[in-house]
Amino acid sequence: MPLKTKEEYIESLRRLKKKVYLFGKEIENYVDHPIIRPSINACAMTYELALQPEYEELLTAVSNLTGEKINRFTHLHQSTDDLIKKVKMQRLLGQKTGCCFQRCVGFDGFNAVDSVTFEMDRDLGTEYNKRFRNYLKYVQENDLVVDGAMTDTKGDRKLAPSEQKDPDQFVHIVEKKQDGIVVRGAKAHQTGAINSHEILVMPTQTMREADKDYAVSFAIPADADGIIYIYGRQSCDTRRFEEGDIDVGNAMYGGQEALIVFNDVFVPWERVFMCGEYQYSGALVERFAGYHRQSYGGCKSGVGDVLIGAAQAIAKIQGIEKASHVKDKLIEMTHMNETIYACGIACSAEGRPTDSGTYLIDLMLANVCKLHVTQLPYLIARLAQDIAGGLVVTLPSEQDFKNPEVGKYLEKYFKSVNIYSTEDRCRIQRLIENLTLGMGAVGYLTESLHGAGSPQAQKIMIGRLANFERKAELAEELAGIKRI
Ligand code: SF4
Ligand code: FE
């Protein structure tokens, strides 16, 4: 059965020889590094839950390629039911980790690459889909984490890839050989890259003919020669070096982003899925972005559940849970959180099969989902801080609580409702700080804004799909206007 345990997943990462840099140094053992390990733990949850009978239906699927039971994160959606289960699975994982668990980007990449390569083969007589499906079978059989790498560094945003002063600002083909291609460039903000076994590269935007060397999609092992990872630091990350676990807020789990540098990396032909067919780059970007905008309806509502729960907990610990304005704020937070989730479910329920048989979400509703996600978590976070009070930013450190001179004063003056300890109060305050200002805010807030495309990208898609003329016709007909 191709399902790994979480321990097997973590051990499998140790076998990869990756070049990882953090704080100016190459990290020998990144698996046990205090800043990196929580992100591995979060990704490992996708393995742990898949083996628990109560979550089997959400976390696993039957592969349409092999007929085997596989982890859902490696599946091609075969129905709207698959699309809905994906969102439910992501909400569950957000609830269990309180952060980004990273495995969705490759998952969304698989589904986008599958339908687009199918259409390329049909129209052009290429064999990209056959190659891709062979590759995906390998991923499914080995239960791998694959980083879906789309975002290029982009240089001067006014200029197309081929117009840039530095041609490496977008990942591109530098050489075509008999046995494969050589690529160069970098992908930025790569979620879970260091925790992945493989990298699936896709173009970052619609390419034109002049940019066809930039219309490239391929997969490579994450420790292939020429790849370097530079870890993206997060707000308050060095707290993970401190003694104790209270001040980090979420000691066990965290997200991860890195810059991946491709220094003349060789990719064999059997792992190349687009090589210059610029006319298909737009569809690939649009579908990948659509799937990832759906994803946020699941993962962000799951983390939202944790933040709403933390707000309810701190209200009880501080004795304000019966105040009507607090109840009203919790209801408002829930209303916004469920709005995000509802959009994720709606775009899934309205999904349709593509020509390859793989189901695609409704793109309009997925974009509406993500546009809500760029706003509502910030409003939910504001209400959580409102309920928590100023302590969320003024609480002394865990070390001060342990200090023999002043610890007793902190215990005394920060005691609130009797049945809770002062430590309970600190732990919840720190969790709210983590999710709204610290490491957790990377995933819950800024990633909600920019991940899967910044708000303007969703507005462009919504504008394109809205069909304002059709709406005008409806109005004109009712108003009795006759078009000439
Ligand atoms: Fe998955 Fe959400 Fe993280 Fe994207 S932000 S990888 S959808 S958990
Ligand atoms: Fe993301």
Side-chain angles (χ1 to χ4, degrees):
M1 186 176 71
L3 290 178
K4 277 190 172 75
T5 63
K6 85 170 188 194
E7 291 78 16
E8 285 167 344
Y9 160 62
I10 293 169
E11 284 313 303
S12 70
L13 291 180
R14 293 186 196 284
R15 291 194 287 277
L16 297 175
K17 301 284 167 239
K18 290 182 191 163
K19 253 184 143 25
V20 178
Y21 284 81
L22 172 57
F23 294 134
K25 293 199 182 74
E26 187 173 352
I27 307 294
E28 282 299 316
N29 172 10
Y30 69 88
V31 174
D32 298 312
H33 191 284
I35 287 189
I36 302 177
R37 183 53 181 261
S39 68
I40 296 176
N41 293 339
C43 194
M45 188 66 86
T46 67
Y47 288 90
E48 188 178 344
L49 297 189
L51 291 170
Q52 293 182 8
E54 62 188 304
Y55 301 126
E56 187 186 352
E57 212 191 318
L58 289 187
L59 269 286
T60 67
V62 174
S63 167
N64 62 310
L65 305 180
T66 64
E68 291 271 335
K69 183 162 120 180
I70 53 168
N71 191 297
R72 184 173 295 282
F73 280 95
T74 66
H75 186 47
L76 295 175
H77 312 294
Q78 296 301 298
S79 61
T80 51
D81 188 48
D82 272 346
L83 289 168
I84 290 169
K85 281 184 177 148
K86 172 195 172 191
V87 175
K88 292 188 174 189
M89 168 181 78
Q90 289 166 317
R91 185 167 186 171
L92 173 70
L93 280 156
Q95 291 169 341
K96 296 280 187 186
T97 60
C99 66
C100 164
F101 37 89
Q102 309 140 48
R103 206 174 170 183
C104 328
V105 202
F107 183 20
D108 292 335
F110 301 148
N111 280 275
V113 170
D114 182 68
S115 64
V116 174
T117 53
F118 180 91
E119 289 157 31
M120 289 164 77
D121 290 1
R122 184 195 57 202
D123 302 348
L124 308 172
T126 48
E127 54 172 42
Y128 292 127
N129 189 253
K130 199 171 115 211
R131 287 180 192 170
F132 173 70
R133 287 194 166 202
N134 278 338
Y135 170 72
L136 189 60
K137 269 189 221 164
Y138 162 75
V139 169
Q140 291 180 345
E141 280 160 4
N142 293 280
D143 200 5
L144 301 179
V145 176
V146 178
D147 168 45
M150 178 163 274
T151 309
D152 285 297
T153 49
K154 299 193 192 101
D156 181 341
R157 307 288 173 110
K158 292 189 296 296
L159 303 176
S162 57
E163 294 165 355
Q164 297 284 334
K165 192 167 169 213
D166 178 352
D168 302 337
Q169 292 292 358
F170 290 74
V171 170
H172 63 120
I173 305 159
V174 288
E175 198 183 343
K176 283 186 193 165
K177 296 181 162 189
Q178 212 175 359
D179 49 351
I181 56 172
V182 178
V183 295
R184 192 187 302 150
K187 292 285 186 185
H189 327 297
Q190 288 307 300
T191 297
I194 295 163
N195 304 340
S196 299
H197 303 100
E198 291 272 330
I199 304 172
L200 172 62
V201 169
M202 295 163 280
T204 201
Q205 64 188 40
T206 303
M207 300 293 173
R208 292 172 305 177
E209 192 170 2
D211 305 317
K212 66 179 188 322
D213 286 344
Y214 296 84
V216 61
S217 176
F218 58 87
I220 35 164
D223 61 348
D225 281 349
I227 295 183
I228 300 171
Y229 299 88
I230 308 165
Y231 204 94
R233 72 171 310 178
Q234 301 177 336
S235 174
C236 310
D237 52 7
T238 48
R239 288 194 194 182
R240 293 215 189 266
F241 291 132
E242 294 173 9
E243 229 177 86
D245 67 345
I246 296 176
D247 287 357
V248 292
N250 183 354
M252 210 35 205
Y253 304 108
Q256 175 199 104
E257 267 79 29
L259 179 80
I260 312 178
V261 177
F262 298 85
N263 261 336
D264 293 352
V265 176
F266 173 73
V267 188
W269 283 117
E270 64 269 20
R271 280 167 163 260
V272 177
F273 313 129
M274 177 183 286
C275 184
E277 294 84 357
Y278 64 93
Q279 308 92 322
Y280 293 83
S281 55
L284 185 49
V285 173
E286 199 171 286
R287 289 182 206 177
F288 169 79
Y291 283 123
H292 210 55
R293 290 169 193 174
Q294 167 210 28
S295 287
Y296 280 26
C299 77
K300 303 305 178 201
S301 60
V303 178
D305 288 327
V306 175
L307 185 55
I308 295 166
Q312 162 73 2
I314 203 67
K316 284 197 298 179
I317 290 170
Q318 297 180 159
I320 54 168
E321 79 278 18
K322 294 213 165 71
S324 62
H325 72 95
V326 170
K327 283 188 192 157
D328 188 63
K329 282 167 189 154
L330 287 163
I331 290 166
E332 186 62 20
M333 291 163 87
T334 304
H335 161 237
M336 292 190 278
N337 201 44
E338 297 300 334
T339 299
I340 292 170
Y341 178 63
C343 290
I345 293 294
C347 70
S348 306
E350 290 284 293
R352 292 273 180 279
T354 61
D355 291 349
S356 77
T358 295
Y359 271 63
L360 181 66
I361 44 8
D362 180 274
L363 285 172
M364 169 63 104
L365 296 181
N367 278 278
V368 169
C369 177
K370 175 63 205 337
L371 195 55
H372 275 309
V373 170
T374 65
Q375 297 166 353
L376 301 186
Y378 284 89
L379 301 178
I380 296 171
R382 176 181 172 275
L383 290 172
Q385 288 191 356
D386 185 349
I387 293 171
L391 262 194
V392 80
V393 290
T394 64
L395 190 65
S397 75
E398 183 176 351
Q399 307 316 317
D400 289 311
F401 277 86
K402 287 182 181 151
N403 180 285
E405 292 296 314
V406 297
K408 57 181 182 284
Y409 297 120
L410 299 178
E411 278 295 332
K412 174 181 161 75
Y413 289 113
F414 288 132
K415 181 81 183 138
S416 189
V417 171
N418 250 334
I419 54 165
Y420 298 102
S421 65
T422 312
E423 183 180 320
D424 291 340
R425 188 179 188 186
C426 294
R427 284 187 180 277
I428 293 290
Q429 286 285 5
R430 289 298 183 204
L431 179 59
I432 295 171
E433 182 196 28
N434 172 290
L435 288 169
T436 62
L437 294 161
M439 288 168 276
V442 174
Y444 187 57
L445 299 180
T446 317
E447 192 180 25
S448 289
L449 186 63
H450 292 297
S454 307
Q456 193 56 25
Q458 288 104 66
K459 287 190 180 170
I460 289 169
M461 276 300 289
I462 291 169
R464 201 187 297 159
L465 296 168
N467 199 348
F468 292 118
E469 265 315 297
R470 173 71 192 126
K471 293 185 202 308
E473 267 173 35
L474 296 172
E476 286 166 15
E477 201 176 312
L478 279 179
I481 295 175
K482 290 202 173 37
R483 288 198 169 194
I484 314 160

